[in-house]
Amino acid sequence: MYPTQGDTSLLIEALRREQPDPGSRLLDLGTGSGAVALAAAELGAEVTGVDLSRLALATAWANARLHRLHLTLRHGDLTSPVARHSFEFIVSNPPYVPSALDRPPRHGVARAWDAGPTGRLLLDRICRQAPRLLTTGGVLLIVQSSLADPASTVVALHRAGLRAGVVATATQPFGPVMSERAGWFEERGLIAPGERTETLVVVRGVRP
């Protein structure tokens, strides 16, 4: 499994600032190891985690048992397993690293980060699908890299009917995956020559 990174911590911090009421329904899209889902459960939310990876879901289940917390886990592609449900909160830390491949990998650990040439293959889908599942006043939190154009996320959420903006940022050095692709990022104009940091961004959308 892909280990917890700075983006996960930033998303958890943003969620804690929301102070969800006990019993709030929360959806974690792409739950992975369940780190964000477990943080939400600790806050008292009723958490549903969705992931396309059965290994990720097994890991999230084991982590929930270890921490004696309850998660409802569903296998499937983004919102498809919960399309008939609604939530007060939706959170997501999706793959967002730009990749030379036009499609996400079907197998392997790179599914946790590869997201097409713009890094937006999953981000754009979440911006279209997730707002439909929010209750009135519901909050969507998405964490992503500056390399995947946060402004496009804000615009897409506005188009989906949400009030949206950036609510948290953090700058960090490139990790191994980003460092390996730094030359390609430079060629595509995603970073300046010699730049080896990225800004992590949490975008917040609210259903009026």
Side-chain angles (χ1 to χ4, degrees):
M1 284 299 302
Y2 188 52
T4 298
Q5 304 289 315
D7 49 5
T8 298
S9 299
L10 192 65
L11 182 56
I12 290 172
E13 291 171 7
L15 175 60
R16 286 174 176 157
R17 286 194 294 272
E18 296 293 332
Q19 299 181 331
D21 293 330
S24 296
R25 293 163 296 177
L26 182 142
L27 173 64
D28 183 13
L29 290 174
T31 195
S33 65
V36 179
L38 291 173
E42 288 177 344
L43 294 171
E46 295 180 1
V47 182
T48 300
V50 174
D51 208 289
L52 193 59
S53 166
R54 294 188 185 275
L55 175 59
L57 292 173
T59 303
W61 178 86
N63 284 334
R65 288 291 297 268
L66 181 65
H67 291 86
R68 299 183 179 180
L69 293 167
H70 175 72
L71 302 179
T72 299
L73 299 172
R74 296 285 182 262
H75 176 255
D77 182 24
L78 292 182
T79 63
S80 58
V82 292
R84 297 183 180 181
H85 299 265
S86 60
F87 301 88
E88 282 80 29
F89 293 92
I90 300 176
V91 296
S92 187
N93 180 4
Y96 53 67
V97 177
S99 162
L101 300 175
D102 289 332
R103 297 181 178 181
R106 297 185 63 183
H107 305 286
V109 69
R111 282 204 300 183
W113 58 76
D114 277 358
T118 65
R120 298 198 56 84
L121 285 180
L122 273 294
L123 284 165
D124 287 335
R125 292 182 60 208
I126 291 168
C127 290
R128 289 193 300 270
Q129 296 179 23
R132 304 170 190 166
L133 304 186
L134 283 175
T135 60
T136 300
V139 174
L140 169 64
L141 298 171
I142 305 172
V143 66
Q144 66 169 95
S145 170
S146 54
L147 275 68
D149 192 7
S152 289
T153 300
V154 173
V155 169
L157 294 181
H158 280 307
R159 288 175 177 166
L162 305 189
R163 299 193 305 267
V166 172
V167 294
T169 62
T171 300
Q172 67 178 21
F174 280 177
V177 173
M178 304 287 278
S179 295
E180 287 178 4
R181 299 180 186 179
W184 184 75
F185 294 158
E186 290 178 355
E187 291 173 5
R188 291 185 59 84
L190 295 173
I191 60 173
E195 184 178 356
R196 295 298 182 268
T197 61
E198 63 172 330
T199 299
L200 300 173
V201 172
V202 175
V203 178
R204 178 181 189 265
V206 182
R207 168 70 67 191

